[in-house]
Amino acid sequence: MSTTAYRPDAAGLTSRTRALIDGDRVVAARPLLEALRRLAPEPSEFAELEARLLVREGREPEALATLDGALARDSGNVRLLLDRSELRLQRGDLHLGADDAAAAVIAAPGDSVAKAVLGVALIRLERHEEAAICLAEAVRGDPRHPGFRQALAEAQEAGGDAAGAAETLVEAIARWPQHLPLRIAAIMAAMRAQDFARAVDLAEAARRAGAADACVFGLLGHALSILGRHADASEAYVEALKLAPEDVYVRHLVRASGLLPQSTRAPAAYVEAVFDGYADRFESHLIDLGYRVPGLIRNALRAHWPDSVPIGSVLDLGCGTGLVAVALSDFAIGRLTGVDLSSAMLAEARAKGLYHDLVHADLADMLTDSSERWDIILAADVLNYFGDLDAVLAGVASRLRSGGRFVASFELLSCGDDAPCENWRLHTQGRFAHAAAYVAGAACAAGLQVVSFAEESLRCETGVAVNGLLAVFGRGAH
């Protein structure tokens, strides 16, 4: 009896390896890829698999080098161009990523995936009209992909065509009623347009269709709370908590509704998730709300920092997209440092070119871990994600130079005459409001002196002014 040694074929092993990589089974895929290497597979296809696996292993520079080498040998390979485009976009190389996607479209004019990738790249480059044209072509070329239509709606909305975006999403939901990302995109679009009644209708429709997860119920609760329907909001939050009991975003909103004990600050992961998803529309949204805090901070510094004393360094806590830096752009500042939890917000701030340093960190960790001292520390609409202020104010005091100034905004907690006022309260929007007396007391306990307290309107929400406090504290005196 004779036996023949088993020798796997390259095509079968390639297919198996690709399935493992796509399933994110990195440990299992690596030995198969090494076995495939010995079979001398088609070079471009092997390079594609190698690059994809390197990305999943967190070795992005090696993946990029692999794709560069493969494209040097096969410059018109569409799959390699699209893989490199997506990797470059992921790394923030937007123009190079768009160039690769455009090259893929030129190499294969009928490839709808290439047009979709180019459309997404153009959205990130804020070339929204071109992005919408490109994505519309991708949809016409291959109408089977809900993601193409979702990206088209994003391009339409970002380009100012909110009605077109809504229509695109409605048509897509009718075609794929169980597709959750489409449902969530439609609800989010309605909330960005401040059409909270429509957001509720869309979320309820998703629930009736059986296409609702914790995110849908969380958004439903948030929209209901803004509309003042707090009992209904609580029911939605209960459902969200059942579906995702450990999700920090859901738990924070449930705490805000009063169904769980209040925490002392918003979880870092909640803040990061909110603002990473909000960065590209953050500034236009605040303008629509009549946002006044950067201007108030500018005026406070004019009034409470002597003209004769140079400003050596400024720390902007929770700098976001850099609106405070814009307001202070004509000030003579030696060094301006911004810190924020959201990498997407920091990318917007970096594009303004006004900061000397931008740090991706939790501001509480920054204050604790840093050994640097600043002349001025600013906190514009960031301390409303903290309830208990003791630790963060102590951190500010430890990092403020003698004679320095700390300027911060707070949402003001109104106190009735018939009961003692709370120090702070978590409101249904997920932000904390503080009593003025508590802010003053906590600052003094931290070693800061109150220089100025002014009640101000910070912005509007659903047509109602948000009452706040613009405070200036000192450490020592000029």
Side-chain angles (χ1 to χ4, degrees):
M1 177 177 173
S2 63
T3 60
T4 302
Y6 170 71
R7 178 178 174 82
D9 68 286
L13 197 52
T14 296
S15 177
R16 177 62 177 155
T17 304
R18 185 181 299 281
L20 289 172
I21 294 171
D22 290 344
D24 212 20
R25 296 177 61 185
V26 174
V27 175
R30 174 55 68 184
L32 265 65
L33 188 65
E34 295 306 318
L36 181 61
R37 187 192 306 272
R38 293 191 290 271
L39 294 177
E42 196 278 321
S44 294
E45 189 168 30
F46 181 83
E48 178 202 351
L49 292 174
E50 172 74 9
R52 290 191 177 191
L53 184 54
L54 287 167
V55 168
R56 282 166 171 75
E57 291 172 337
R59 298 158 64 184
E60 290 183 1
E62 294 171 67
L64 189 57
T66 297
L67 291 169
D68 288 344
L71 282 164
R73 298 186 297 269
D74 187 4
S75 60
N77 188 293
V78 172
R79 295 186 76 158
L80 293 174
L81 284 167
L82 292 179
D83 280 352
R84 191 169 70 175
S85 173
E86 292 180 355
L87 179 54
R88 282 174 161 172
L89 293 174
Q90 182 178 317
R91 291 167 59 85
D93 298 330
L94 302 185
H95 289 283
L96 291 175
D99 288 346
D100 277 341
V105 171
I106 292 169
D111 192 314
S112 294
V113 173
K115 291 178 181 177
V117 173
L118 178 56
V120 170
L122 291 170
I123 291 173
R124 295 188 60 183
L125 287 170
E126 299 185 3
R127 293 163 58 180
H128 301 127
E129 185 175 345
E130 297 169 78
I133 292 170
C134 201
L135 286 159
E137 289 183 7
V139 169
R140 285 194 295 272
D142 190 348
R144 298 169 299 169
H145 292 283
F148 291 1
R149 295 173 194 253
Q150 185 177 336
L152 172 59
E154 181 181 351
Q156 290 170 319
E157 182 187 356
D161 184 10
E167 183 179 351
T168 296
L169 288 170
V170 167
E171 291 175 354
I173 289 169
R175 188 178 180 111
W176 296 282
Q178 300 301 312
H179 195 269
L180 266 170
L182 288 172
R183 296 275 189 180
I184 292 168
I187 298 166
M188 289 291 292
M191 294 186 74
R192 284 192 293 269
Q194 299 187 59
D195 190 347
F196 301 107
R198 176 168 171 74
V200 169
D201 290 343
L202 289 166
E204 290 286 8
R207 180 185 59 78
R208 289 192 299 270
D213 65 353
C215 183
V216 170
F217 280 110
L219 291 170
L220 173 60
H222 199 50
L224 287 166
S225 70
I226 291 173
L227 292 171
R229 296 169 56 184
H230 299 300
D232 293 335
S234 295
E235 292 180 9
Y237 285 138
V238 167
E239 294 303 315
L241 192 62
K242 288 178 184 176
L243 292 169
E246 301 305 320
D247 187 289
V248 293
Y249 186 97
V250 170
R251 288 184 70 81
H252 182 67
L253 290 178
V254 173
R255 289 185 192 280
S257 74
L259 296 175
L260 287 175
Q262 292 201 356
S263 59
T264 59
R265 65 163 290 183
Y270 166 84
V271 178
E272 186 173 10
V274 167
F275 288 100
D276 272 349
Y278 190 33
D280 59 341
R281 301 175 183 86
F282 181 73
E283 293 182 10
S284 60
H285 180 59
L286 287 181
I287 291 169
D288 290 343
L289 295 177
Y291 184 54
R292 301 180 65 228
V293 174
L296 294 173
I297 286 177
R298 175 188 173 85
N299 293 340
L301 285 178
R302 282 285 187 217
H304 298 289
W305 186 269
D307 291 337
S308 59
V309 179
I311 303 174
S313 60
V314 175
L315 175 63
D316 185 3
L317 298 173
C319 64
T321 62
L323 288 176
V324 169
V326 172
L328 304 182
S329 58
D330 61 334
F331 279 48
I333 297 172
R335 190 162 200 86
L336 178 58
T337 299
V339 57
D340 204 281
L341 262 173
S342 167
S343 56
M345 288 286 198
L346 288 173
E348 298 285 333
R350 187 172 293 110
K352 289 181 171 62
L354 296 173
Y355 291 90
H356 298 90
D357 300 295
L358 286 166
V359 181
H360 183 208
D362 185 304
L363 68 87
D365 293 339
M366 173 80 170
L367 293 170
T368 301
D369 298 340
S370 175
S371 59
E372 188 171 350
R373 292 183 183 272
W374 284 270
D375 293 312
I376 294 171
I377 299 178
L378 308 172
D381 260 6
V382 65
L383 296 185
N384 49 22
Y385 291 100
F386 292 79
D388 189 324
L389 297 172
D390 293 350
V392 70
L393 291 178
V396 167
S398 71
R399 303 273 59 87
L400 198 61
R401 287 197 178 111
S402 178
R405 293 289 183 262
F406 173 48
V407 186
S409 65
F410 302 85
E411 293 190 18
L412 196 57
L413 179 61
S414 299
C415 301
D417 297 329
D418 55 346
C421 190
E422 302 169 84
N423 288 338
W424 45 266
R425 183 185 302 153
L426 178 59
H427 284 309
T428 54
Q429 296 92 338
R431 301 188 304 271
F432 293 90
H434 296 89
Y438 168 66
V439 173
C444 290
L448 299 168
Q449 296 85 46
V450 176
V451 175
S452 172
F453 258 26
E455 290 192 20
E456 299 279 359
S457 171
L458 304 181
R459 62 185 175 279
C460 290
E461 286 185 356
T462 61
V464 178
V466 175
N467 294 322
L469 182 70
L470 200 286
V472 181
F473 304 99
R475 186 173 179 271
H478 281 116

